[in-house]
Amino acid sequence: MTNPNNISLNISHALEFIDGHALNIPTLKILSEQGDILDGATKPELDKETALKIYSTMRFIRLLDERMQAAQRQGRISFYMQCLGEEAAITASAAALKQDDMIMAQYREQAALHYRGFTLGQFMNQLFSNEKDLGKGRQMPVHYGSNELNYLTISSPLGTQIPQATGYAYGQKLKHIDKESGELSSEIDNVTICYFGEGAASEGDFHAGLNMAAVHKAPVIFFARNNGYAISTPADEQFKGDGIAARGVGYGIKTIRVDGADTLAVYEATKKAREIAVSTGEPVLIESIAYRLGAHSTSDDPSGYRTKDEEAEFKNSCPVARFKTWLLKQGWLDESEDEAIKDKIREEILAALKVAEKVQKPALEELVSDVYDTPIPALQKQYEELKEHIKQYPDAYPVTAGRIK
Protein backbone atom coordinates (compact mmCIF):
# COMPACT_ATOMS: atom_id res chain seq x y z
CA MET A 1 0.00 0.00 0.00
CA THR A 2 1.35 3.44 -0.86
CA ASN A 3 1.85 5.84 2.04
CA PRO A 4 1.94 9.44 0.78
CA ASN A 5 1.17 10.80 4.27
CA ASN A 6 4.30 9.18 5.76
CA ILE A 7 2.51 7.77 8.82
CA SER A 8 2.29 4.44 10.63
CA LEU A 9 -0.53 2.46 9.02
CA ASN A 10 -2.02 0.73 12.05
CA ILE A 11 -5.77 1.13 11.73
CA SER A 12 -8.02 1.31 14.83
CA HIS A 13 -11.81 1.05 15.06
CA ALA A 14 -11.93 2.51 18.58
CA LEU A 15 -12.16 6.24 19.24
CA GLU A 16 -9.06 6.89 21.35
CA PHE A 17 -6.74 9.87 21.83
CA ILE A 18 -3.09 9.37 22.71
CA ASP A 19 -2.14 11.11 25.94
CA GLY A 20 0.47 13.86 25.68
CA HIS A 21 2.73 11.93 28.07
CA ALA A 22 2.15 8.48 26.62
CA LEU A 23 5.85 8.17 25.78
CA ASN A 24 7.77 7.49 29.00
CA ILE A 25 11.34 8.70 28.39
CA PRO A 26 13.94 7.40 30.88
CA THR A 27 16.95 9.38 32.11
CA LEU A 28 20.34 7.69 31.82
CA LYS A 29 22.26 7.78 35.10
CA ILE A 30 25.48 5.88 35.79
CA LEU A 31 27.15 7.68 38.69
CA SER A 32 25.49 8.17 42.08
CA GLU A 33 25.76 11.40 44.08
CA GLN A 34 28.24 9.51 46.29
CA GLY A 35 30.55 8.84 43.35
CA ASP A 36 29.74 5.15 42.85
CA ILE A 37 28.68 3.23 39.75
CA LEU A 38 24.99 2.47 40.22
CA ASP A 39 23.71 -1.12 40.29
CA GLY A 40 22.84 -2.28 36.80
CA ALA A 41 24.85 0.50 35.13
CA THR A 42 27.78 -0.31 32.88
CA LYS A 43 31.05 1.40 33.74
CA PRO A 44 32.15 3.44 30.70
CA GLU A 45 35.43 2.90 28.93
CA LEU A 46 36.95 6.15 30.14
CA ASP A 47 40.73 6.12 30.49
CA LYS A 48 42.57 7.92 33.28
CA GLU A 49 44.08 10.60 31.05
CA THR A 50 40.73 11.63 29.56
CA ALA A 51 39.00 11.48 32.95
CA LEU A 52 41.58 13.78 34.52
CA LYS A 53 41.41 16.19 31.59
CA ILE A 54 37.64 16.36 32.00
CA TYR A 55 38.00 17.06 35.71
CA SER A 56 40.74 19.65 35.29
CA THR A 57 38.55 21.45 32.74
CA MET A 58 35.54 21.43 35.06
CA ARG A 59 37.68 22.62 37.96
CA PHE A 60 39.19 25.45 35.89
CA ILE A 61 35.81 26.65 34.61
CA ARG A 62 34.32 26.62 38.11
CA LEU A 63 37.19 28.82 39.37
CA LEU A 64 37.14 31.07 36.30
CA ASP A 65 33.41 31.60 36.70
CA GLU A 66 33.80 32.50 40.38
CA ARG A 67 36.52 35.07 39.68
CA MET A 68 34.88 36.67 36.64
CA GLN A 69 31.48 36.89 38.33
CA ALA A 70 33.27 38.89 41.03
CA ALA A 71 35.10 40.96 38.39
CA GLN A 72 31.77 42.00 36.89
CA ARG A 73 30.47 43.02 40.30
CA GLN A 74 33.62 45.13 40.71
CA GLY A 75 32.88 46.88 37.40
CA ARG A 76 35.95 45.45 35.68
CA ILE A 77 33.95 43.72 32.95
CA SER A 78 30.45 44.54 31.77
CA PHE A 79 28.75 41.14 31.74
CA TYR A 80 29.29 37.48 32.59
CA MET A 81 27.49 34.13 32.44
CA GLN A 82 28.46 31.14 34.54
CA CYS A 83 28.42 27.45 33.66
CA LEU A 84 27.66 26.69 37.32
CA GLY A 85 25.91 23.32 37.72
CA GLU A 86 26.35 22.33 34.07
CA GLU A 87 30.11 21.73 33.96
CA ALA A 88 29.71 17.96 33.55
CA ALA A 89 27.17 18.26 30.75
CA ILE A 90 29.37 20.54 28.68
CA THR A 91 32.82 19.11 29.41
CA ALA A 92 31.96 15.43 29.14
CA SER A 93 30.06 15.92 25.89
CA ALA A 94 33.00 17.82 24.39
CA ALA A 95 35.37 15.06 25.51
CA ALA A 96 33.36 12.47 23.57
CA LEU A 97 33.95 14.33 20.28
CA LYS A 98 36.90 14.59 17.93
CA GLN A 99 38.96 17.76 18.08
CA ASP A 100 37.92 18.72 14.54
CA ASP A 101 34.19 18.18 15.05
CA MET A 102 32.35 21.49 14.87
CA ILE A 103 30.90 23.07 18.01
CA MET A 104 28.03 25.53 17.74
CA ALA A 105 27.35 26.85 21.22
CA GLN A 106 24.81 29.06 22.92
CA TYR A 107 26.65 30.96 25.67
CA ARG A 108 27.24 28.69 28.64
CA GLU A 109 29.66 26.28 26.98
CA GLN A 110 33.04 27.79 27.85
CA ALA A 111 34.08 24.41 29.27
CA ALA A 112 33.93 22.82 25.81
CA LEU A 113 36.20 25.55 24.48
CA HIS A 114 38.72 25.18 27.29
CA TYR A 115 38.75 21.39 26.87
CA ARG A 116 39.91 21.94 23.29
CA GLY A 117 42.74 24.22 24.32
CA PHE A 118 41.40 27.77 24.63
CA THR A 119 43.87 29.39 27.01
CA LEU A 120 43.35 31.50 30.09
CA GLY A 121 44.82 34.46 28.25
CA GLN A 122 42.40 34.03 25.36
CA PHE A 123 39.45 33.93 27.76
CA MET A 124 40.61 37.13 29.42
CA ASN A 125 41.28 38.95 26.15
CA GLN A 126 37.73 38.22 24.99
CA LEU A 127 36.16 39.18 28.30
CA PHE A 128 37.97 42.53 28.29
CA SER A 129 37.47 43.07 24.53
CA ASN A 130 41.08 44.17 24.14
CA GLU A 131 43.22 44.29 21.01
CA LYS A 132 44.35 40.68 21.53
CA ASP A 133 40.76 39.39 21.49
CA LEU A 134 40.24 36.99 18.57
CA GLY A 135 36.93 38.71 17.91
CA LYS A 136 38.58 42.16 17.81
CA GLY A 137 36.36 43.44 20.58
CA ARG A 138 33.23 43.20 18.48
CA GLN A 139 31.34 40.88 20.80
CA MET A 140 30.11 41.30 24.35
CA PRO A 141 31.80 39.17 27.05
CA VAL A 142 31.42 35.34 26.99
CA HIS A 143 30.61 35.36 23.28
CA TYR A 144 33.66 33.33 22.39
CA GLY A 145 34.77 31.94 19.06
CA SER A 146 37.83 30.12 17.71
CA ASN A 147 38.38 29.11 14.12
CA GLU A 148 41.44 27.09 15.16
CA LEU A 149 39.41 25.06 17.67
CA ASN A 150 36.32 24.61 15.45
CA TYR A 151 34.11 26.64 17.76
CA LEU A 152 31.70 28.93 15.94
CA THR A 153 31.47 32.45 17.37
CA ILE A 154 28.46 32.73 19.66
CA SER A 155 25.45 34.86 18.76
CA SER A 156 23.23 36.48 21.40
CA PRO A 157 19.85 35.79 19.73
CA LEU A 158 18.50 32.46 20.95
CA GLY A 159 18.43 29.49 18.63
CA THR A 160 20.14 30.96 15.57
CA GLN A 161 22.84 28.29 15.73
CA ILE A 162 20.35 25.40 15.48
CA PRO A 163 19.46 25.58 11.76
CA GLN A 164 23.04 26.69 11.09
CA ALA A 165 24.26 23.47 12.72
CA THR A 166 21.96 21.41 10.52
CA GLY A 167 23.26 23.08 7.39
CA TYR A 168 26.88 22.77 8.42
CA ALA A 169 26.48 19.10 9.34
CA TYR A 170 24.77 18.39 6.03
CA GLY A 171 27.80 19.92 4.33
CA GLN A 172 30.06 17.59 6.34
CA LYS A 173 28.02 14.68 5.00
CA LEU A 174 27.90 15.70 1.34
CA LYS A 175 31.49 14.74 0.59
CA HIS A 176 30.66 11.17 1.63
CA ILE A 177 27.58 10.82 -0.59
CA ASP A 178 27.81 8.68 -3.73
CA LYS A 179 26.55 10.87 -6.58
CA GLU A 180 24.87 7.99 -8.40
CA SER A 181 23.16 6.14 -5.57
CA GLY A 182 22.69 9.07 -3.19
CA GLU A 183 23.82 6.83 -0.32
CA LEU A 184 26.76 7.13 2.05
CA SER A 185 29.90 5.89 0.32
CA SER A 186 31.98 5.93 3.50
CA GLU A 187 31.73 6.71 7.19
CA ILE A 188 31.50 10.42 7.89
CA ASP A 189 34.68 12.04 9.24
CA ASN A 190 33.15 14.73 11.40
CA VAL A 191 29.91 15.79 13.01
CA THR A 192 28.52 19.02 14.43
CA ILE A 193 27.31 19.38 18.00
CA CYS A 194 24.81 22.14 18.71
CA TYR A 195 24.24 23.29 22.29
CA PHE A 196 21.17 25.24 23.39
CA GLY A 197 18.94 25.66 26.43
CA GLU A 198 15.38 24.51 26.84
CA GLY A 199 14.33 28.14 26.46
CA ALA A 200 15.89 28.26 22.99
CA ALA A 201 13.88 25.15 22.17
CA SER A 202 10.81 27.41 22.28
CA GLU A 203 12.16 29.40 19.33
CA GLY A 204 11.04 28.69 15.78
CA ASP A 205 14.65 28.03 14.78
CA PHE A 206 14.62 24.91 16.97
CA HIS A 207 11.71 23.35 15.08
CA ALA A 208 13.03 24.37 11.67
CA GLY A 209 16.51 23.05 12.50
CA LEU A 210 15.36 19.69 13.85
CA ASN A 211 12.88 19.02 11.09
CA MET A 212 15.43 19.93 8.43
CA ALA A 213 18.03 17.67 10.06
CA ALA A 214 15.59 14.77 10.27
CA VAL A 215 14.31 15.08 6.70
CA HIS A 216 17.71 15.63 5.09
CA LYS A 217 19.55 13.31 7.51
CA ALA A 218 22.27 15.64 8.73
CA PRO A 219 24.91 14.25 11.15
CA VAL A 220 24.28 16.79 13.91
CA ILE A 221 24.09 16.15 17.64
CA PHE A 222 21.51 18.45 19.20
CA PHE A 223 22.46 18.91 22.86
CA ALA A 224 19.58 20.47 24.77
CA ARG A 225 20.52 21.80 28.20
CA ASN A 226 17.32 21.59 30.22
CA ASN A 227 18.45 23.49 33.31
CA GLY A 228 15.01 24.36 34.61
CA TYR A 229 14.77 28.02 33.71
CA ALA A 230 14.79 30.26 30.64
CA ILE A 231 16.13 33.29 32.49
CA SER A 232 13.27 33.63 35.02
CA THR A 233 10.67 31.46 33.27
CA PRO A 234 10.45 27.95 34.81
CA ALA A 235 10.16 24.96 32.52
CA ASP A 236 6.54 24.25 33.49
CA GLU A 237 5.58 27.66 32.10
CA GLN A 238 7.51 27.05 28.87
CA PHE A 239 6.03 23.73 27.74
CA LYS A 240 3.63 20.99 28.80
CA GLY A 241 5.19 18.03 26.98
CA ASP A 242 7.75 15.63 28.44
CA GLY A 243 10.77 17.89 28.28
CA ILE A 244 12.69 18.41 25.06
CA ALA A 245 13.41 14.73 24.38
CA ALA A 246 9.79 14.03 23.39
CA ARG A 247 10.14 16.55 20.57
CA GLY A 248 13.11 14.69 19.13
CA VAL A 249 11.00 11.54 18.91
CA GLY A 250 8.21 13.59 17.33
CA TYR A 251 10.58 14.69 14.58
CA GLY A 252 11.75 11.12 13.99
CA ILE A 253 15.18 11.67 15.56
CA LYS A 254 17.03 9.15 17.75
CA THR A 255 16.83 10.61 21.24
CA ILE A 256 18.22 10.08 24.73
CA ARG A 257 17.81 11.90 28.05
CA VAL A 258 20.71 11.96 30.50
CA ASP A 259 21.46 13.17 34.01
CA GLY A 260 23.48 16.26 33.10
CA ALA A 261 25.25 16.29 36.46
CA ASP A 262 26.59 12.79 35.79
CA THR A 263 29.86 13.07 33.89
CA LEU A 264 29.96 9.38 32.97
CA ALA A 265 26.38 9.30 31.65
CA VAL A 266 26.92 12.39 29.50
CA TYR A 267 30.20 11.04 28.14
CA GLU A 268 28.69 7.69 27.19
CA ALA A 269 25.55 9.21 25.66
CA THR A 270 27.52 11.66 23.52
CA LYS A 271 30.06 9.05 22.48
CA LYS A 272 27.23 6.78 21.29
CA ALA A 273 25.43 9.69 19.62
CA ARG A 274 28.55 10.47 17.62
CA GLU A 275 28.87 6.82 16.55
CA ILE A 276 25.28 6.92 15.26
CA ALA A 277 25.82 10.20 13.43
CA VAL A 278 29.01 9.15 11.62
CA SER A 279 27.75 5.68 10.70
CA THR A 280 24.22 6.62 9.57
CA GLY A 281 24.63 10.29 8.68
CA GLU A 282 21.56 11.08 10.77
CA PRO A 283 20.87 13.48 13.67
CA VAL A 284 20.65 12.61 17.36
CA LEU A 285 19.06 14.58 20.20
CA ILE A 286 20.47 14.52 23.73
CA GLU A 287 18.51 16.19 26.52
CA SER A 288 20.67 16.98 29.54
CA ILE A 289 18.88 17.47 32.87
CA ALA A 290 21.01 19.65 35.14
CA TYR A 291 20.00 22.50 37.44
CA ARG A 292 21.37 25.97 36.72
CA LEU A 293 22.95 26.69 40.11
CA GLY A 294 23.76 30.30 39.35
CA ALA A 295 21.83 33.22 37.94
CA HIS A 296 21.05 33.37 34.25
CA SER A 297 23.69 36.08 33.97
CA THR A 298 25.13 38.93 36.00
CA SER A 299 22.10 40.95 34.87
CA ASP A 300 19.74 38.51 36.62
CA ASP A 301 18.62 38.05 40.24
CA PRO A 302 17.22 34.52 40.71
CA SER A 303 15.89 35.33 44.20
CA GLY A 304 12.95 36.92 42.44
CA TYR A 305 11.70 33.65 40.97
CA ARG A 306 13.10 30.73 43.00
CA THR A 307 13.76 30.00 46.65
CA LYS A 308 17.02 29.46 48.53
CA ASP A 309 15.67 26.07 49.65
CA GLU A 310 15.28 25.01 46.02
CA GLU A 311 18.83 26.07 45.19
CA ALA A 312 20.22 24.30 48.29
CA GLU A 313 18.49 21.06 47.28
CA PHE A 314 20.32 20.96 43.95
CA LYS A 315 23.68 22.08 45.33
CA ASN A 316 23.93 18.62 46.88
CA SER A 317 24.11 17.22 43.34
CA CYS A 318 27.14 19.28 42.30
CA PRO A 319 28.60 17.69 39.12
CA VAL A 320 32.18 18.69 39.93
CA ALA A 321 32.07 17.20 43.44
CA ARG A 322 30.40 14.01 42.21
CA PHE A 323 33.01 13.34 39.54
CA LYS A 324 35.85 14.29 41.90
CA THR A 325 34.62 11.70 44.40
CA TRP A 326 34.61 9.04 41.68
CA LEU A 327 38.16 9.94 40.67
CA LEU A 328 39.32 9.74 44.29
CA LYS A 329 37.79 6.29 44.59
CA GLN A 330 39.64 5.21 41.44
CA GLY A 331 42.91 6.36 42.98
CA TRP A 332 43.37 8.75 40.05
CA LEU A 333 43.25 11.96 42.08
CA ASP A 334 44.98 13.12 45.25
CA GLU A 335 42.92 15.37 47.54
CA SER A 336 45.75 17.53 48.87
CA GLU A 337 47.29 17.92 45.42
CA ASP A 338 43.89 18.94 44.04
CA GLU A 339 43.53 21.71 46.64
CA ALA A 340 47.04 22.99 45.89
CA ILE A 341 46.24 23.10 42.17
CA LYS A 342 43.06 25.09 42.88
CA ASP A 343 45.06 27.71 44.76
CA LYS A 344 47.53 27.92 41.89
CA ILE A 345 44.72 28.31 39.31
CA ARG A 346 43.14 31.11 41.36
CA GLU A 347 46.46 32.95 41.37
CA GLU A 348 46.90 32.45 37.62
CA ILE A 349 43.38 33.69 36.88
CA LEU A 350 43.85 36.84 38.94
CA ALA A 351 47.23 37.51 37.34
CA ALA A 352 45.82 37.02 33.83
CA LEU A 353 42.91 39.34 34.66
CA LYS A 354 45.29 42.10 35.74
CA VAL A 355 47.26 41.75 32.51
CA ALA A 356 44.27 41.65 30.16
CA GLU A 357 42.51 44.67 31.62
CA LYS A 358 45.59 46.82 30.89
CA VAL A 359 45.86 45.82 27.23
CA GLN A 360 44.61 48.49 24.84
CA LYS A 361 41.25 48.23 23.15
CA PRO A 362 41.24 47.46 19.40
CA ALA A 363 41.82 50.38 17.06
CA LEU A 364 38.61 51.90 15.74
CA GLU A 365 39.33 50.82 12.17
CA GLU A 366 39.11 47.19 13.30
CA LEU A 367 35.34 47.68 13.18
CA VAL A 368 35.39 47.51 9.39
CA SER A 369 38.85 46.20 8.47
CA ASP A 370 37.78 42.70 7.42
CA VAL A 371 34.04 42.94 6.88
CA TYR A 372 34.89 43.15 3.17
CA ASP A 373 38.21 42.72 1.37
CA THR A 374 37.98 46.47 0.77
CA PRO A 375 35.34 48.46 2.70
CA ILE A 376 32.47 49.36 0.38
CA PRO A 377 31.63 53.10 0.00
CA ALA A 378 28.58 52.95 2.28
CA LEU A 379 30.58 51.29 5.06
CA GLN A 380 33.48 53.69 4.63
CA LYS A 381 31.06 56.63 4.85
CA GLN A 382 29.61 55.29 8.09
CA TYR A 383 33.10 54.82 9.50
CA GLU A 384 34.13 58.39 8.70
CA GLU A 385 30.92 59.70 10.27
CA LEU A 386 31.65 57.66 13.38
CA LYS A 387 35.14 59.15 13.68
CA GLU A 388 33.75 62.68 13.42
CA HIS A 389 31.13 61.89 16.02
CA ILE A 390 33.75 60.62 18.49
CA LYS A 391 35.95 63.67 17.86
CA GLN A 392 32.97 65.89 18.60
CA TYR A 393 32.15 64.09 21.87
CA PRO A 394 35.53 62.81 23.15
CA ASP A 395 34.44 62.73 26.79
CA ALA A 396 31.80 60.14 25.94
CA TYR A 397 34.42 57.86 24.34
CA PRO A 398 37.50 58.23 26.57
CA VAL A 399 39.15 54.97 25.48
CA THR A 400 38.72 55.52 21.75
CA ALA A 401 38.95 59.29 21.30
CA GLY A 402 42.66 59.54 22.01
CA ARG A 403 43.55 56.93 19.42
CA ILE A 404 41.71 58.32 16.37
CA LYS A 405 44.07 59.47 13.64
Side-chain angles (χ1 to χ4, degrees):
M1 182 178 180
T2 56
N3 186 11
N5 304 104
N6 194 26
I7 61 170
S8 54
L9 296 172
N10 51 332
I11 303 300
S12 172
H13 300 295
L15 178 61
E16 181 181 9
F17 289 89
I18 304 300
D19 185 82
H21 287 78
L23 180 63
N24 186 4
I25 301 175
T27 300
L28 176 66
K29 185 171 182 176
I30 297 175
L31 195 61
S32 73
E33 281 73 9
Q34 293 72 41
D36 298 309
I37 302 294
L38 292 163
D39 292 342
T42 302
K43 181 179 178 181
E45 296 179 2
L46 182 61
D47 61 86
K48 179 180 178 180
E49 181 181 0
T50 303
L52 290 177
K53 185 177 179 181
I54 291 173
Y55 177 69
S56 66
T57 300
M58 293 164 64
R59 177 179 59 197
F60 171 84
I61 291 299
R62 177 65 64 90
L63 297 173
L64 178 70
D65 281 355
E66 289 175 359
R67 177 62 262 178
M68 299 318 295
Q69 177 92 354
Q72 192 280 334
R73 296 304 189 219
Q74 294 168 341
R76 298 166 89 168
I77 60 173
S78 61
F79 180 80
Y80 197 74
M81 303 184 82
Q82 295 182 307
C83 187
L84 198 65
E86 298 185 74
E87 294 94 342
I90 306 307
T91 314
S93 56
L97 305 172
K98 287 177 62 176
Q99 184 77 5
D100 51 354
D101 288 338
M102 176 56 75
I103 293 178
M104 295 196 181
Q106 187 161 307
Y107 41 55
R108 214 179 294 279
E109 290 84 22
Q110 50 263 45
L113 192 52
H114 185 61
Y115 187 87
R116 289 201 166 176
F118 206 68
T119 67
L120 173 57
Q122 288 175 316
F123 276 111
M124 288 299 174
N125 291 332
Q126 198 285 327
L127 293 170
F128 282 96
S129 297
N130 62 36
E131 65 181 5
K132 293 184 178 180
D133 170 26
L134 296 178
K136 300 185 178 182
R138 297 171 180 172
Q139 281 277 19
M140 62 190 293
V142 305
H143 287 53
Y144 309 106
S146 174
N147 185 52
E148 178 186 4
L149 299 176
N150 300 296
Y151 191 100
L152 188 73
T153 301
I154 295 166
S155 299
S156 288
L158 285 184
T160 56
Q161 75 277 19
I162 302 175
Q164 292 169 359
T166 294
Y168 192 91
Y170 188 66
Q172 289 172 313
K173 177 181 178 178
L174 282 179
K175 61 184 178 180
H176 298 277
I177 297 290
D178 183 271
K179 293 181 179 179
E180 293 184 4
S181 67
E183 301 295 327
L184 279 177
S185 58
S186 61
E187 188 172 87
I188 296 167
D189 297 324
N190 296 111
V191 302
T192 295
I193 190 167
C194 180
Y195 294 101
F196 53 90
E198 90 288 337
S202 296
E203 297 285 338
D205 282 345
F206 168 86
H207 300 282
L210 263 71
N211 190 55
M212 184 165 62
V215 172
H216 293 288
K217 299 181 179 179
V220 54
I221 300 171
F222 296 109
F223 197 99
R225 297 183 293 94
N226 186 342
N227 61 24
Y229 291 90
I231 309 183
S232 59
T233 305
D236 62 1
E237 293 181 18
Q238 296 179 58
F239 52 82
K240 293 301 178 185
D242 186 6
I244 308 303
R247 303 183 198 178
V249 176
Y251 279 114
I253 295 175
K254 286 186 174 63
T255 300
I256 189 170
R257 176 179 288 155
V258 298
D259 178 354
D262 180 346
T263 303
L264 301 184
V266 174
Y267 180 80
E268 282 297 280
T270 312
K271 181 181 175 183
K272 183 61 179 178
R274 189 184 187 281
E275 290 175 2
I276 293 169
V278 297
S279 61
T280 67
E282 297 182 11
V284 182
L285 173 66
I286 300 172
E287 181 182 20
S288 162
I289 308 299
Y291 190 79
R292 192 194 75 207
L293 291 175
H296 171 73
S297 73
T298 49
S299 302
D300 172 46
D301 179 10
S303 66
Y305 54 85
R306 67 189 192 191
T307 66
K308 292 295 182 183
D309 289 341
E310 177 182 314
E311 292 177 357
E313 178 185 348
F314 285 96
K315 282 180 181 177
N316 296 327
S317 185
C318 171
V320 182
R322 192 193 303 193
F323 191 52
K324 175 184 174 179
T325 303
W326 182 75
L327 290 172
L328 289 170
K329 291 182 178 183
Q330 306 309 300
W332 291 354
L333 188 69
D334 180 85
E335 182 82 62
S336 58
E337 181 182 345
D338 181 50
E339 291 303 316
I341 291 173
K342 286 180 183 177
D343 291 338
K344 185 173 184 293
I345 293 172
R346 288 190 182 98
E347 293 173 2
E348 291 173 346
I349 290 173
L350 183 57
L353 185 156
K354 291 178 178 179
V355 170
E357 68 180 346
K358 294 177 181 177
V359 177
Q360 288 197 87
K361 300 301 181 185
L364 187 63
E365 57 263 28
E366 293 288 4
L367 278 172
V368 300
S369 60
D370 57 5
V371 177
Y372 297 93
D373 183 37
T374 302
I376 61 175
L379 190 60
Q380 188 65 40
K381 182 175 181 290
Q382 290 176 1
Y383 174 62
E384 295 300 331
E385 290 173 348
L386 175 62
K387 285 201 299 183
E388 291 305 313
H389 174 80
I390 294 173
K391 288 177 182 178
Q392 186 175 355
Y393 304 100
D395 293 342
Y397 306 93
V399 174
T400 306
R403 300 184 66 196
I404 294 180
K405 299 176 182 179

